[in-house]
């Protein structure tokens, strides 16, 4: 028996149709408890980035811990409100907000719009005027800071589409201050995702300090600084490192960032909150001997978990129903795409048809990114509390 086998209720799994997402709610509770404690200790306001996982059961648990929500669409705002999150804890980011989404957010009375361009600012002002309300706005600034992560998930360098370029910030601030429907309340940043180098966050803080100094020379100060999300998780050690090091992350930004008196600090973690509690569970359909390698062909594919195909992401893969000697397999799905591969030369306990395979650390950007390509059904989800 490998140590992980005891982590999964295999007997209960045999009653369920694969593939499905399995969420270990104890891991989620531990993560949320640590996150909440460390946030309180460091006086950080947390808005969970709902795009990482919007499963209603997960959301209701996150809501119980009192976190706010970071949304990037009208649908996400609706999901957050439905989960019982107070509107004044919701932030709304995104480079392309539609009019209906802006109207929805204005009507709900959210905490803040994270505004990514001058034309967006103008539209929000117009829509707010039409409703005779004011819109609380933080400007999302592209800090031109390097993040050591896959280039598809780096967002804070000047060639990225996100945020307002440093050179344009003064003009956008001037415009915001001139619009009576806009209340400029904050500055927002987000440099990317799956960041494990605390230096990257320290670099962001230095840049924020420079920007704040520039504003201070104009006698300007905003109410809050929002550093976005991005804290990474250890995909190689889902059990040993189940709870991310929020203490180190918060203490780094607290130490590096020079907040002004009365200014509040906000963050938007997504992945680090939910990645480790989720596993994609599938069954082996066939073991196929190729000319050079052996394939384990699963009943789950990129339609359930697209991260390996989209970002060449690594996930730990385990055969949870075998204790036979290890062999190497290319672990692939059934989808008609060559990129539908979870891992090459993966060491697994000897695989046979019908074995259960767990793809670990799949709680973030797994279920939310699933698709119906090849007309496959939307994956179901099950929770440790219900399966004993
Ligand atoms: C995606 C995103 C997040 C969350 O990122 P994680 O890496 O999952 O923590 C936070 N803020 C914004 C603006 C985002 O786009």
């Amino acid at each position: 028996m490998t140590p992980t086998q005891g982590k999964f209720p295999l007997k209960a799994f045999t009653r369920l149709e694969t593939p499905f997402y399995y969420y270990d709610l104890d891991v989620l509770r531990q993560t949320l408890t640590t996150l909440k404690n460390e946030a309180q200790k460091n006086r950080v306001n947390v808005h969970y980035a709902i795009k990482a996982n919007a499963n209603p059961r997960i959301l209701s648990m996150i809501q119980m811990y009192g976190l706010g929500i970071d949304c990037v669409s009208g649908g996400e705002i609706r999901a957050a409100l439905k989960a019982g999150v107070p509107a004044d804890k919701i932030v709304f980011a995104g480079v392309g907000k539609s009019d209906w989404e802006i109207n929805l957010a204005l009507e709900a009375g959210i905490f803040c719009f994270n505004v990514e361009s001058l034309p967006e600012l103008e539209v929000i002002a117009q829509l707010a005027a039409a409703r005779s309300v004011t819109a609380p706005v933080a400007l999302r600034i592209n800090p031109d800071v390097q993040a050591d992560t896959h280039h598809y998930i780096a967002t804070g360098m000047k060639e990225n589409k996100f945020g307002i370029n440093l050179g344009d910030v003064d003009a956008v601030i001037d415009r915001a201050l001139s619009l009576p429907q806009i209340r400029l309340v904050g500055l927002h940043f987000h440099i990317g995702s799956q960041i494990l180098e605390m230096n990257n966050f320290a670099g962001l803080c230095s840049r924020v300090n420079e920007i704040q100094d520039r504003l201070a020379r104009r006698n300007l100060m905003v109410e809050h600084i929002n550093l976005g999300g991005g804290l990474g998780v250890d995909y190689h050690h889902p059990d040993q490192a189940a709870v991310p090091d929020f203490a180190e992350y918060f203490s780094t930004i607290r130490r590096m960032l020079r907040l002004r008196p009365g200014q509040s600090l906000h963050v938007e973690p997504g992945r680090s909150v939910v990645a480790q509690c989720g596993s994609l569970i599938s069954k082996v359909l066939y073991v196929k001997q190729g000319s050079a390698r052996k394939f384990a062909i699963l009943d789950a594919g990129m339609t359930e978990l697209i991260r390996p195909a989209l970002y060449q992401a690594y996930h730990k893969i385990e055969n949870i129903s075998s204790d036979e000697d290890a062999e190497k397999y290319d672990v692939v799905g059934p989808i008609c795409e060559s990129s539908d591969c979870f891992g090459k030369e993966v060491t697994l306990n000897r695989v046979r048809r019908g074995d259960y395979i767990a793809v670990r650390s799949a709680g973030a950007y797994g279920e939310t990114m699933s698709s119906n390509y090849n007309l496959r059904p939307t994956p179901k989800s099950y929770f440790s509390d219900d399966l004993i």
Side-chain angles (χ1 to χ4, degrees), residues 2-14:
T2 60
T4 52
Q5 284 179 295
K7 297 189 76 65
F8 294 100
L10 252 186
K11 214 178 238 135
F13 284 179
T14 61

Side-chain angles (χ1 to χ4, degrees), residues 47-52 70-72 91 93-94 114 116 140 153 155 162 188-190 192-195 226-232 249 267-274 364-365:
H47 306 266
Y48 162 68
I50 188 175
K51 73 177 190 281
D70 165 44
C71 298
V72 292
V91 296
N114 292 332
E116 308 220 9
R140 174 169 179 175
I153 51 177
T155 57
F162 299 101
H188 175 244
F189 306 83
H190 174 69
S193 200
Q194 185 51 17
I195 297 167
N226 183 339
L227 294 182
L231 180 63
Y249 170 55
V267 294
E268 305 166 337
R271 182 190 312 273
S272 54
V273 183
V274 289
Y365 307 107

